[in-house]
Amino acid sequence: MARIAVIGAGTGAMAAAARLAVAGHRVVVYERGRTYGGALGRFERDGFSFDTGPGLLPLPAVWRDLFVKTGKEPLESCVDLVQVDPSSRHVFADGTEVSLPNASRAGVVAALDAALGAGAGQRWGDFLVRARETWDRTRRPLLEEPLWPNWRVLAEREPYPAVPHRRLLRTRRAGTLAEVGARELRDPRLAALLESHALAYGLDPRTAPANAAVLPYMEYAFGVWYVRGGGLRELARAVYERCLARRVEFRFEAEVTGIVEKDGRAAGVELADGTLEEAEFVVSGVAPGVLDRLRGGSPVRGEDEVPPQRGGASRLTVLLALRGARPRGTAHRTVVHAADRTAELDRVFGAAPGPAARPTVTVLRPDDPALVPDADHEAVTLRATVPALNGASGSPTAEVYALGAEQLIDAAERAVPGLRDRLLWHEVRTPAEVAADTGVPDGAIPVPALAAAGGRLLHAANSTRTEGLFTVGGWSHPGGGLPHAGMSGALVAGLVVEGPEFRGSQ
């Protein structure tokens, strides 16, 4: 039995801790904050409750596997996991609306044909077939296996089977997600639908590789889910309680300020109060720059390894307390698309940084009595992708974010008629709050690992040059997103228990 120190109590770190404890190790989690969950936070006021992180769960099989492998009680016995239907409602810039059923390709095709015109659904359905091929080719190396030592193979090959187009005597294939939308979907509304999936993950569809098609595919193939009884924060609570049941020890308000090494191997951690805690293995759930500081500024990656992923986008979130009951039949999620998508992407990704004037807004309206003081009120969450903080060149002021929040509310009125008349109060959460919740200094959101693009969207391996030191969570392989965080925990546990020969789940 080894003593293992885990830095941080995010979902990926807790997933690793639970699996390692089941394998017979003594696991201690050191968390600088007062609670667990990382990005899966909760805000409460006046009887209202809101998720401050992700509001929906794709690919729940990852978390079902964690609960199967760490105890007798399955995930569904620990949380009330429900599939939302429709999976989303979309309000496009031209006023067209469509509601898409959950995990039903045929239903989605029919809905798009009815709303956008004959042939639109078929083009989207054909795209999903190609996206499935991409998923089949990349699922194991990008989600279920440790990062390949010859990772450049993944960096050089584009696995999306783009449709060839002949133009000016040359055959061209889409290389980016935006090109897939323009060349293969051939409808600005379908292109907006496709690109909204990338934007929600903090990716610029104009530069994201075509194999980002797996992001919408995951949703349409496996559905999206919600945890009734309090939102996705309840998933973090269930994982935390599973850790406790497996005798994982948690030490909150215990900031790790250094990683102790001996003879080139991780040997423990140093805490802010000067305490040294010995350990045979250290699992770090912090961002790459933070991890380097914990090692005295020495990088944990070699020159021949995937460089640490740096985020560029964050989230602006507005929490709305409304008078009046949630109308029956209301969609859980509505995406209100930006009027000028190019201008929005320029604002978010650098040409003109700052919150967009009329951004794409995701409106979350859960049917969950646990979120409101009584049946005569509704809790609504608005989200938009915005640039991460930039201390060097300056970041938007509080006044700018407040104006951005008002713009989100204006846009959301297209999804929630009479919104301002029902508004009791609202809270604004900026990238600064994301930074405080996650410990990532600029508040950036890690993106999922993707192939091609020269390896730019791969994440560094879970193992490091320092023997006994591993990384877990969104900033290491396989990247950001709740399914990816859960898989990072499984990969780290496998590498610790089985050693470098571990090749992932079978």
Side-chain angles (χ1 to χ4, degrees):
M1 178 180 74
R3 180 181 173 92
I4 300 175
V6 178
I7 306 173
T11 49
M14 290 196 295
R19 291 176 182 271
L20 289 167
V22 166
H25 299 293
R26 182 188 174 192
V27 183
V28 182
V29 177
Y30 301 90
E31 166 57 49
R32 66 182 179 87
R34 297 181 178 181
T35 188
Y36 54 84
L40 287 183
R42 173 180 286 160
F43 178 86
E44 295 178 328
R45 174 180 165 186
D46 300 340
F48 291 86
S49 182
F50 304 85
D51 278 324
T52 58
L56 289 169
L57 176 66
L59 208 60
V62 171
W63 297 98
R64 291 190 178 112
D65 182 73
L66 172 70
F67 278 75
V68 167
K69 299 290 176 56
T70 59
K72 297 179 180 179
E73 305 85 5
L75 175 62
E76 278 81 357
S77 72
C78 301
V79 296
D80 185 9
L81 191 64
V82 296
Q83 197 170 17
V84 300
D85 199 17
S87 67
S88 59
R89 171 182 167 229
H90 290 263
V91 180
F92 296 106
D94 67 352
T96 306
E97 298 186 15
V98 62
S99 292
L100 302 177
N102 205 339
S104 170
R105 178 180 176 275
V108 168
V109 168
L112 289 172
D113 272 342
L116 308 187
Q122 186 61 51
R123 290 195 299 277
W124 184 261
D126 291 344
F127 158 74
L128 289 180
V129 171
R130 294 187 290 274
R132 178 178 180 175
E133 287 187 47
T134 310
W135 170 260
D136 290 341
R137 294 171 181 175
T138 62
R139 174 177 56 87
R140 286 196 61 81
L142 290 185
L143 196 62
E144 298 178 350
E145 297 178 345
L147 186 67
W148 293 351
N150 59 337
W151 58 269
R152 287 184 177 82
V153 173
L154 297 173
E156 295 165 358
R157 295 179 181 174
E158 172 54 72
Y160 178 78
V163 176
H165 289 268
R166 190 166 181 80
R167 185 177 181 184
L168 299 178
L169 303 179
R170 295 180 60 187
T171 298
R172 301 170 183 261
R173 294 178 183 269
T176 67
L177 198 67
E179 290 174 346
V180 170
R183 299 178 185 180
E184 299 178 11
L185 299 179
R186 304 192 307 279
D187 184 307
R189 296 162 298 184
L190 288 179
L193 172 61
L194 174 63
E195 293 183 9
S196 67
H197 287 276
L199 185 61
Y201 279 94
L203 290 166
D204 185 344
R206 300 170 301 183
T207 59
N211 67 92
V214 297
L215 301 178
Y217 173 78
M218 282 197 304
E219 178 172 316
Y220 290 99
F222 308 113
V224 288
W225 304 72
Y226 175 74
V227 181
R228 276 178 63 90
L232 264 68
R233 172 66 180 178
E234 287 300 294
L235 175 64
R237 186 266 309 161
V239 177
Y240 171 67
E241 291 181 354
R242 177 54 54 91
C243 286
L244 293 180
R246 298 299 165 261
R247 299 188 179 181
V248 174
E249 180 182 348
F250 284 82
R251 299 188 187 177
F252 295 107
E253 298 184 275
E255 182 180 2
V256 173
T257 55
I259 294 175
V260 179
E261 296 181 20
K262 185 177 181 180
D263 299 327
R265 179 183 175 86
V269 295
E270 180 178 359
L271 304 183
D273 63 4
T275 303
L276 297 179
E277 300 282 351
E278 295 183 353
E280 285 88 348
F281 297 94
V282 175
V283 176
S284 171
V286 300
V290 178
L291 179 57
D292 289 344
R293 289 201 299 273
L294 295 182
R295 299 187 68 252
S298 176
V300 299
R301 308 293 177 187
E303 293 182 0
D304 61 338
E305 296 178 278
V306 173
Q309 179 74 233
R310 306 294 181 185
S314 186
R315 293 194 182 100
L316 179 63
T317 303
V318 184
L319 312 175
L320 307 176
L322 304 184
R323 62 172 63 87
R326 177 183 186 272
R328 181 174 297 181
T330 295
H332 185 115
R333 173 179 56 174
T334 298
V335 180
V336 180
H337 292 266
D340 188 337
R341 199 162 66 253
T342 298
E344 175 183 31
L345 297 176
D346 285 344
R347 297 288 287 182
V348 174
F349 297 104
R358 288 188 60 187
T360 297
V361 179
T362 298
V363 183
L364 298 175
R365 305 178 70 183
D367 181 12
D368 190 347
L371 304 183
V372 291
D374 54 53
D376 293 324
H377 293 86
E378 183 180 5
V380 175
T381 300
L382 313 180
R383 289 205 177 94
T385 300
V386 298
L389 300 174
N390 189 334
S393 61
S395 295
T397 64
E399 290 76 14
V400 170
Y401 282 126
L403 176 61
E406 292 299 321
Q407 293 168 344
L408 262 65
I409 295 173
D410 288 342
E413 285 203 278
R414 298 180 65 194
V416 189
L419 172 59
R420 287 195 180 274
D421 292 336
R422 297 177 57 195
L423 185 60
L424 292 171
W425 51 261
H426 72 275
E427 289 280 343
V428 181
R429 293 182 59 84
T430 73
E433 280 73 39
V434 175
D437 288 346
T438 64
V440 179
D442 59 2
I445 306 296
V447 301
L450 294 172
R456 176 174 52 86
L457 294 175
L458 294 175
H459 288 259
N462 307 102
S463 55
T464 71
R465 288 189 298 170
T466 301
E467 188 177 355
L469 175 62
F470 299 87
T471 63
V472 72
W475 294 101
S476 57
H477 181 72
L482 278 174
H484 303 75
M487 282 308 304
S488 75
L491 294 173
V492 167
L495 288 166
V496 172
V497 173
E498 298 186 26
E501 66 275 9
F502 174 68
R503 290 295 178 267
S505 57
Q506 301 299 320

